[in-house]
Amino acid sequence: MVTNSTDWRNTVMPAVFTWLKESEAGALEIDFEATQKYAEGILKVQGKGGTQMGGLVGSGTLGENSYLSAEQRLSLLKALSDVAKKYNVPLISGAAAETKEELAEIVKELATVGVDTVMVMPPKTKEAPSEEEMYAYYALSATAAKEAGITIMPYNNPDAAGYHALSTDILRKLTALPEVTALKISTTDVSVIETLMLENKDSKILAGVDTVTVHAGLAGACGGITGVGCIFPKASVTMQEYVNNGEWAEANKISQAMNSISYLDAQPLLLEYLKFAFGVHHNDAAGGLRTFGKKLTQAQIDDVRARYMLAKERLELLGLDD
């Protein structure tokens, strides 16, 4: 089993927020300029070792994906593609569908607006598909990606409601597809990462939950996709640098410093929580509250603010508060 890319080894990529603004009519709409500005700001940041984010993830869970129309999503990704090209990093976006045929069309469509790799989530069906059906769903997306000149990243998110878990056997088979550039494993249980790496040390696996960056690295993950890294990019990149160098104690210091806010990345309201924290970080609490998602209660707002402040204070002591 051999994957076809080394570009993402030892890197971390931000799942950027989609910034919104009020139109003249008072409705929320995408603020493309602000979204590009903040994405650029994150990609500019260097870790203590001099490295930067190795990719850009747009229109994901943190990018209001489930609330955007197909037209809005494509326009957003086209805008982010300009940023990704400017910083010479791949643009990644997610896709899911009820049928493999529908998914194949989405993959081809995403390629037309500059997406380099599609994070393919399991089918959106009520009934769990059979192993054969699951593999066929991903295999057809790989074929579509090949025809479009891009790659795919199977996305296993067993902790999230609505997404069927991918078995280790399916993940193993998908790793062998030449169009699969990496696997994204979003779970607090990193044992599946270690299992896959023990079977094939050349597997490329990205962790998708901020709380497990260090443990995922110990298990063999080559990098990660981060939400908290949008708020504290220098800390996120530096932590990955320490993981890459096997400096586990130093990496763990940063992980512990960010733990209060990283916790939010694994919660059902991660979009609303982290977007508000991002707004606070940039002195734009109003902007942070602009979301198509759920409205936070005052208690939730107070909790997020307290978690953000605790992480910021801890990171200040490490010189990583940006």
Side-chain angles (χ1 to χ4, degrees), residues 167-194:
S167 68
T168 303
D169 188 50
I170 287 290
L171 291 170
R172 187 184 300 114
K173 290 178 180 177
L174 293 178
T175 306
L177 295 175
E179 295 78 27
V180 171
T181 192
L183 302 176
K184 181 184 176 184
I185 307 295
S186 293
T187 175
T188 54
D189 179 6
V190 301
S191 61
V192 65
I193 297 176
E194 193 158 51

Side-chain angles (χ1 to χ4, degrees), residues 138-159:
Y138 279 93
L140 188 59
S141 72
T143 299
K146 182 178 181 180
E147 293 173 356
I150 61 175
T151 58
I152 65 169
M153 181 193 301
Y155 182 0
N156 192 30
N157 194 356
D159 297 338

Side-chain angles (χ1 to χ4, degrees), residues 142-285:
T143 299
K146 182 178 181 180
E147 293 173 356
I150 61 175
T151 58
I152 65 169
M153 181 193 301
Y155 182 0
N156 192 30
N157 194 356
D159 297 338
Y163 290 110
H164 307 300
L166 298 176
S167 68
T168 303
D169 188 50
I170 287 290
L171 291 170
R172 187 184 300 114
K173 290 178 180 177
L174 293 178
T175 306
L177 295 175
E179 295 78 27
V180 171
T181 192
L183 302 176
K184 181 184 176 184
I185 307 295
S186 293
T187 175
T188 54
D189 179 6
V190 301
S191 61
V192 65
I193 297 176
E194 193 158 51
T195 297
L196 292 167
M197 293 304 301
L198 286 172
E199 293 180 1
N200 176 17
K201 63 181 178 61
D202 293 321
S203 295
K204 295 179 181 65
I205 300 175
L206 298 173
V209 181
D210 281 306
T211 54
V212 300
T213 298
V214 178
H215 291 93
L218 281 164
C222 66
I225 293 177
T226 177
V228 174
C230 294
I231 304 169
F232 297 113
K234 185 174 182 179
S236 184
V237 174
T238 301
M239 178 166 58
Q240 188 63 49
E241 289 175 339
Y242 285 137
V243 169
N244 297 344
N245 296 330
E247 298 178 63
W248 306 111
E250 294 303 312
N252 201 46
K253 286 180 184 178
I254 301 175
S255 179
Q256 290 177 324
M258 292 197 294
N259 192 56
S260 62
I261 194 169
S262 294
Y263 164 84
L264 301 175
D265 188 51
Q267 304 306 308
L269 295 182
L270 74 162
L271 160 63
E272 293 87 348
Y273 289 159
L274 291 180
K275 195 171 190 182
F276 176 69
F278 185 90
V280 174
H281 188 65
H282 288 279
N283 298 313
D284 182 16

Side-chain angles (χ1 to χ4, degrees), residues 95-104 106 120-125 137:
E98 289 190 10
T99 68
K100 60 182 185 292
E101 292 81 10
E102 181 187 357
L103 175 66
I106 293 174
V120 180
M121 291 170 276
K124 298 190 295 184
T125 55
Y137 174 87

Side-chain angles (χ1 to χ4, degrees), residues 304-321:
V304 172
R305 192 185 298 275
R307 288 178 178 277
Y308 162 78
M309 291 304 301
L310 181 57
K312 188 175 188 298
E313 290 170 4
R314 290 170 172 171
L315 289 173
E316 283 178 347
L317 296 176
L318 299 177
L320 293 171
D321 61 319

